[in-house]
Amino acid sequence: LRRMSVSDYSVTTVASGLKSPMNCCFDADGNVYVSARDNKAIYKFDKDNVKTTFATLDAGPNYCKFAPNGNLIVTLNSGYKFVSISPDGTVTDFLGTGVKPEEKSDGEPGQPLTVGIKTCFGFDFDSNGVMYISDNSYNCIRRFTPGPGLDYSTGTVETIIGSVSGYADGSGLKVKMSQPYEIMVYDDNTLYFADTVNYLIRKVVIK
């Protein structure tokens, strides 16, 4: 794990020995959380760079980010699900069956643990707590709308963009992409995502 100063672009090493760190994110207090895939763990570094194990997982984490409810959401490598980690380190299933799906499925409305999902390397939230997921395996963007009161356990998943590998602009399911990775919500109506195999950054306008 390395830190760069934006004032003089100097780089210092914060921690070594992390096996395949995939991404990092910050909490409201400025602590850093690292997805260490091959350690099958999320590590926390405080402002003094003191390392603690925030959570151990059944599969390696690919990506982590805080949800508006304060929990850390993690997508797992070959775990076929997302998990939610509360501030005290309690891990619960968040999205997906945890079983390798035979085909893509958005699951039953209001039952996010019925969703069939494989590998994901990015997701983000808008100001209403709606989650947008770049689905690397199924070449699509999915939207996860929580239930009332930001209750993700009663939320609904739907595929809104793409579903076929390739390249084509357009709208909705007619769009083609190849192995999308990072996705970012610019505002509640605009998304940007990395279309990796097509070597592109693409923009989505939600109407």
Side-chain angles (χ1 to χ4, degrees):
L1 181 65
R2 308 180 78 180
R3 178 176 58 205
M4 184 184 76
S5 170
V6 295
S7 60
D8 60 3
Y9 305 112
S10 60
V11 177
T12 56
T13 298
V14 174
S16 59
L18 301 175
K19 295 182 179 180
S20 299
M22 300 299 288
N23 88 306
C24 58
C25 65
F26 295 87
D27 66 14
D29 297 322
N31 300 303
V32 184
Y33 296 77
V34 179
S35 298
R37 186 182 64 189
D38 293 346
N39 296 111
K40 296 183 179 180
I42 301 293
Y43 294 122
K44 176 182 177 180
F45 294 85
D46 66 16
K47 293 181 179 179
D48 297 320
N49 298 331
V50 175
K51 172 188 171 186
T52 56
T53 300
F54 183 59
T56 55
L57 303 166
D58 295 332
N62 277 336
Y63 192 86
C64 66
K65 183 171 286 187
F66 281 94
N69 63 8
N71 290 344
L72 185 68
I73 308 304
V74 182
T75 175
L76 301 180
N77 184 56
S78 299
Y80 312 112
K81 65 181 179 180
F82 290 33
V83 297
S84 175
I85 308 175
S86 65
D88 66 1
T90 301
V91 180
T92 56
D93 290 347
F94 179 77
L95 171 69
T97 64
V99 177
K100 185 177 180 178
E102 295 183 359
E103 59 184 7
K104 181 182 77 69
S105 169
D106 288 336
E108 296 295 326
Q111 300 181 45
L113 300 187
T114 64
V115 172
I117 199 162
K118 287 185 178 178
T119 305
C120 298
F121 294 101
F123 56 85
D124 202 3
F125 299 88
D126 70 13
S127 63
N128 297 309
V130 176
M131 183 180 186
Y132 292 89
I133 302 165
S134 63
D135 190 322
N136 181 267
S137 294
Y138 289 120
N139 302 298
C140 65
I141 305 299
R142 303 207 220 187
R143 179 168 58 199
F144 182 14
T145 304
L150 280 180
D151 183 1
Y152 290 98
S153 69
T154 61
T156 295
V157 173
E158 59 181 324
T159 300
I160 60 169
I161 301 290
S163 65
V164 178
S165 179
Y167 171 71
D169 286 336
S171 62
L173 303 185
K174 296 179 181 179
V175 174
K176 295 181 181 180
M177 64 189 75
S178 291
Q179 298 182 25
Y181 271 62
E182 179 72 87
I183 185 169
M184 298 186 70
V185 176
Y186 176 72
D187 57 36
D188 287 348
N189 298 310
T190 309
L191 315 173
Y192 290 88
F193 70 92
D195 190 350
T196 307
V197 175
N198 286 319
Y199 309 106
L200 295 169
I201 301 297
R202 303 179 74 179
K203 177 181 178 180
V204 180
V205 177
I206 300 173
K207 299 180 179 180

